[in-house]
Structure formats: structure tokens, C-alpha cells
Amino acid sequence: MCGIIGYTGFRPAAPLILDGLQRLEYRGYDSAGIGLLDPSREFELHRSVGRVTSLRESFDLEKSTSHTGIGHTRWATHGKVSTENAHPHKSHYGHFLLVHNGVVENFKKIKNFLLEHGYSFYSETDTEVLVNLIEFHYRQGQVAELANFLQATQKALQDIQGTYGIAVLCRDFPDRLLAAKNSSPLLIGIGEQEYIVASDAAAIVPYTSRVVYLQDREIAFISHDELDIYTLQTKKTSITTHLIDWSPEEAQRGRYEHYMLKEIHEQPQVIANTMRGHISDDLSTTHFGGIAALLTQFHRLDRIVFCACGSAWHACLEAEYLIEHYARIPVEVEYASEFRYRNAPLSKNTLIAVVSQSGETLDTLEALLEARRKGYSVIGITNVVGSSIARETDAGVYQHAGPEIGVASTKAFTSQLCITAMLAIYLGRLRQMDYTDGTAFIQALQELPKKIEETLLLEAQISEIAQRYHHYEQFLFLGRQTMYPIALEAALKLKEIAYIQAQGYPIAEMKHGPIALVSEHCPSFVLETQAAIFPKTLSNIQEIRARHGKVILVTTSDIPSEDMEVEERITIPRTHHALQPILATIPVQFFAYHMALLRHCDVDKPRNLAKSVTVE
Ligand code: M6R
């Protein structure tokens, strides 16, 4: 995800900004840039694709005399990975430099307006629109008046819809830095005769622990020795400062002990980001700009074959349940590593869909290439913009989950579940699903981040459960229909980070074999959220208990299981059927995490595993 740093103060700006960019590297990025404003009112701009180290090598730090500057690490969203698309962006007449995190949703309209007023654009980004809009307002006012810098920014931010964290320099004021935010984090570190603006505390804590957290639609107007905060209309009279008590190392993970835990807790925001831009204006369906070109084919489709590995494969299995149910299109799910050598017979109107968080998994990439070799259209669902899979597919959907650092996939998995649910509704609405059912889904989708927040509150209960169970060496995870892929995912999580033998199974299949494992030494997780089939699940639970197996039940509050004898009951919020698997995933993520912690395992870097598996 993108990172911002800005500086004005007594130190040379360039080394501090480059150091800050390196501290933001852990968030993942594909290009970086730095903009400096020297006392003679000249901008110095350096941008490059790749690592911050190459940016550092691209200019002579010793020669830089600037004490004010901004820097950015970009994780591509609007426009490919390229030097032109990297930030900072300069305005048409050269008055402003700007770095931006977030999305300007109405950028096309504003771009057209600016084009009509003689502005030119050199990148594919939405950001360039914003820097030019500020300049447009600046040129309408009294140029070179300090207040005009602020007012032009206020006006521009009033005009735009979307999210932003920005840092801006104006050539006419070499010791001024402006920062503003809306739904994108930004804080200001306060030093002696210096201020540091950053999107992440990691870039600030080496210099100061005193910070101001900028609030949404606030603007910080900063000089070497003065910080004022404005709303989009007026000046604020009081500023609240906070003390950060984390080490620089801790700051990267925030208050979380591990990236995995941080990433679990990020899921409300991740799901909001994943769904952004995919909801139709009439709130009755989803849409996917990236695959719109294949739209006509969707009407003719007679089969979709999903290919993936690991957790992504589990997300595909969920897609099978949902797409078949809502769109009545037959779906098959293949392990990518099997598909590429299997030579499966496929009909002409088959669409291949590959799913991969990293976009670099070699088995998935090879399955994709094999499908294309045979002339099939391939769509991709990936989290990493510009990854090999994103480049090789005919069309695709980005997850926008942000960089996932923990080896165990958490937020990327639930964001894949979100996309597959949205795809099922999209395809359903193209076929037989009616308007009312579509609106019910969209309403549930919009409420989902809130429900994820509620589900995250279960962590304390699950950590206590883990205390009682961390000495067990084997587990069963059992679920029916849409809960079956989550049972598989739960077993995978426990295996990979807590090194516990765990098996996921469709619950009714248990009696055809795995029941032989059930004993007082093998507890079972049962995932069940459908009231209509709960009596069946109850029988399965009784079969486990009759063999002295302990049961941990994950269910919803509307299912009347209070009187049932289970050792533990974890109650998640009720949501739409297509989205319930997302909420059911969170308790099992927490369970694996706390079990691994209690067993002293390296949560973020489990043994023998790599984040991105680029070998066969
Ligand atoms: O990057 P991908 O989604 O293609 O990765 C696929 C698997 O390697 C990945 O999901 C793996 O199973 C994770 N460690 C699961 O937590």
C-alpha cells in the first residue's frame, strides 16, 4: 500500500525522507519518489520504479540543500507501474508538487474540466488531477499569497469525492508543507524546529514521539516552527497532541505483536476497499470494470473453471457454491498444479478464472498459460497490481487488500471471498436473480465492515479457548456447504502456523472415515450457520460427543443451540448467506493465531513456508 512522508525543518530534507520511505517499505510498493523544494524556489523531483535504494542512488544527496520535501512509495491502483505514474506529481504550470494515498473517485469529471481549461496530463493517475485542481484554484486567487495556498487546497478538496492522504509543496513558499486527509491515515510528528508528516508512525518515531493525528477533512499547514490545523472552511482553535510509546520496529506493526494479528484486525477496512467501486448506482447488483469487456461472453458461458493453490483454492471452492447457487452456472475448482498437467476436456464456452494473492504463484501462473495456450479466456483475481498473473490474464479484478506480510493468508483470503460473492451476485443478476434479491445482497455488503468489527471482538473469548486447547495435537474442522471451504481453510491455518495435525471435512462425510479419529484426544470445530440444516448438524455433533470428542461450535445467534451440549460456542453476527463465510473465517484465524502463540511458533514466518511460492 502507498506510503507518504513529508518534512520541513532544520535538517537536510532528502536523507530524512529517504530514510522514512525505507521505513515504509514493509507495506509493499512498486515505485517511489521524492520531491524537494530548495530555498531558491526550485523543485527537485526524482522518481523510479522499484526499490527505494535505486531512488537513493539516482541523485547526489550531498548536493541537496533543501529543508522541505515530500516522498512517496506507490502501490499501483490507477495506472500501471511506471516512472510517470510514480509520485510526487507536478502541476501543469509547475507551482505544486503533491503525493497522494487514496482514490479520487470523480477524477474523470475533474480531468475533463481541467483539460477544457488548458491543463495537460502526463500520467494515468487520479492524483495528477488533484494537484492540477489545486493549481487551478491557486491561479484564480492572489498568486504568491500564503493564504491563497491554503484556500486553493481547501477549494480543491471540497470539489473532490473519494479518499485522500496528501502532502503538498508550493514553489512560492519554500518552508511550507501542507498535509490533509480523508479516510486515509496521516499523522504529524512534532520535533524541535521541525515537523514530519507521514501516513505511518514508522517513519516518524525515529525523530520524535510527539504527534498529532490528523482527522478526516482536516488540513495541516506547517512551517519550520508553526503548525496550524484547518477544516475545509475554517481554522481550528485547539490541537491535541499524543505520545507514541512504540519503538520504530513496533511501529511498523502498530500495536500488534505480529503482522498476522494486524492483518486480521485490518479486515473491516480491507473488505471496504475490496468492494469499493463494484456497487451499481441503483444498489441492486455489483459490477466489474476490469472484466466488462468479457460481458457478452458471460451470457453464453456454460462453465467456469477456477484454478488456484492453498487458501486461494479454498476461496475458489466457496465461489463454486455461490456461483452455482445464485447464477446457476456450473463451476469446477482445480488445484492449479493438477490442472496444468491434467488436460481436462473443456467446452468452447468455458471461462478460466485464476485466483492468487501474490499473483506470482508459479503453479497458478502455469495453469493460466496452459489455458491460454488452448485458447480459453482467463480472468484473474489478484492482490498485487502488475504481478505476473495480473499481466498474463485477459482481464481481472484487484483485491485492494493492501500488502499481506504474514505468511498465513488472512485478509487476502477474506477479500477473495468478498470478490467471489460479488461475482456470484453479478453473474446471478445477468441471468435470473431479481432486483429485490440483488438489493438485499448490496445492503448486506455495505453493512459487512461493521459486522466484521463486531466479529473481531471475539478475540478475547477465542484466546481463552486456545488456552484450554493448545496442548492437543490433532483437530477436525467440519462444515457443510459454504462452511466446508472455511473448515478447510481453518485446518490449513492451524497446520501452517501452529504445526498441529488438522483435517477439514464436510461434516456428514465424517462418518465415512474420519470419525475413527474422534476421541478425547481429538477435538472438533463445527461451523454451522444455516438454521434449516442445523438439526442434521446436531446429529453429527452428538456422534462426536458419544465418542468423547470435545466440540467447539461456531454459529450465529439466531440458531437455537443454547441447550446443546458443546464445550465451546462462538457466536458470530448474522449476515447474508453469501457473506456469512467471511464472518465465519475470523474466529478460526484467531484460533490458529493464539494456538501458535501459545506453542511458541514463529507466527509470521512459519517453518518451511514462503509467502510467494514461485517454484513448482
Ligand atoms: O499468492 P497465492 O494466493 O497464489 O498463494 C497461494 C498459496 O501459496 C497460499 O494461499 C498459501 O496456502 C498460504 N500460506 C495460506 O495461508
Side-chain angles (χ1 to χ4, degrees), residues 443-454:
Q443 191 185 339
L445 192 62
Q446 289 174 324
E447 290 165 1
L448 190 60
K450 190 94 200 50
K451 296 213 169 169
I452 297 175
E453 274 170 24
E454 282 171 42

Side-chain angles (χ1 to χ4, degrees), residues 212-499:
V212 172
Y213 292 98
L214 211 55
Q215 303 300 308
D216 280 350
R217 289 174 292 282
E218 280 185 357
I219 299 175
F221 206 32
I222 309 166
S223 67
H224 290 197
D225 51 10
E226 198 179 357
L227 163 68
D228 292 309
I229 297 195
Y230 295 81
T231 66
L232 297 191
Q233 288 83 20
T234 56
K235 187 171 178 179
K236 272 185 79 171
T237 45
S238 64
I239 296 175
T240 312
T241 57
H242 298 263
L243 278 183
I244 296 184
D245 56 359
W246 319 330
S247 66
E249 157 64 11
E250 282 171 328
Q252 297 196 331
R253 293 189 309 264
R255 297 193 172 277
Y256 299 103
E257 204 177 330
H258 296 97
Y259 283 112
M260 180 182 176
L261 188 61
K262 179 173 188 252
E263 288 158 3
I264 292 174
H265 280 274
E266 278 171 0
Q267 289 174 112
Q269 186 60 50
V270 164
I271 295 299
N273 291 347
T274 300
M275 71 173 77
R276 183 170 296 128
H278 292 302
I279 296 177
S280 69
D281 290 342
D282 72 346
L283 305 180
S284 81
T285 187
T286 53
H287 57 70
F288 293 90
I291 54 178
L294 293 173
L295 198 67
T296 47
Q297 194 175 329
F298 287 143
H299 288 283
R300 280 185 278 116
L301 266 189
D302 55 28
R303 185 166 301 272
I304 305 178
V305 175
F306 279 88
C307 296
C309 306
S311 292
W313 187 86
H314 299 150
C316 295
L317 212 52
E318 201 65 77
E320 178 177 2
Y321 280 100
L322 298 180
I323 293 174
E324 290 192 345
H325 179 78
Y326 290 105
R328 314 301 298 159
I329 300 172
V331 171
E332 280 168 32
V333 181
E334 298 264 358
Y335 285 111
S337 52
E338 291 291 313
F339 177 81
R340 64 174 294 207
Y341 295 119
R342 207 162 76 76
N343 201 17
L346 302 172
S347 66
K348 179 158 97 321
N349 290 328
T350 298
L351 176 74
I352 309 292
V354 293
V355 182
S356 171
Q357 184 283 130
S358 61
E360 300 296 345
T361 300
L362 191 70
D363 288 327
T364 311
L365 182 61
E366 289 296 340
L368 178 180
L369 296 175
E370 179 66 16
R372 286 194 56 187
R373 204 171 287 129
K374 291 181 173 147
Y376 293 97
S377 297
V378 185
I379 62 164
I381 299 174
T382 63
N383 192 31
V384 180
V385 176
S387 57
S388 304
I389 288 176
R391 289 197 309 271
E392 292 291 347
T393 40
D394 298 298
V397 184
Y398 282 122
Q399 298 177 223
H400 297 302
E404 191 176 63
I405 294 170
V407 164
S409 187
T410 52
K411 62 177 184 171
F413 174 69
T414 47
S415 103
Q416 287 163 352
L417 292 182
C418 183
I419 289 177
T420 54
M422 292 194 295
L423 202 54
I425 301 303
Y426 171 66
L427 294 171
R429 291 283 285 128
L430 287 182
R431 294 183 168 222
Q432 66 209 32
M433 189 187 222
D434 70 15
Y435 174 86
T436 315
D437 287 348
T439 55
F441 173 80
I442 296 298
Q443 191 185 339
L445 192 62
Q446 289 174 324
E447 290 165 1
L448 190 60
K450 190 94 200 50
K451 296 213 169 169
I452 297 175
E453 274 170 24
E454 282 171 42
T455 313
L456 290 173
L457 299 176
L458 292 168
E459 182 177 2
Q461 183 201 355
I462 294 162
S463 130
E464 276 176 29
I465 294 175
Q467 293 275 356
R468 291 193 278 281
Y469 288 82
H470 71 273
H471 54 281
Y472 286 90
E473 292 300 333
Q474 52 175 336
F475 279 82
L476 284 175
F477 288 87
L478 306 165
R480 198 186 297 275
Q481 297 187 18
T482 56
M483 288 300 136
Y484 165 51
I486 309 308
L488 294 179
E489 173 65 5
L492 178 69
K493 288 281 94 83
L494 198 62
K495 275 187 277 222
E496 68 179 339
I497 62 165
Y499 316 140

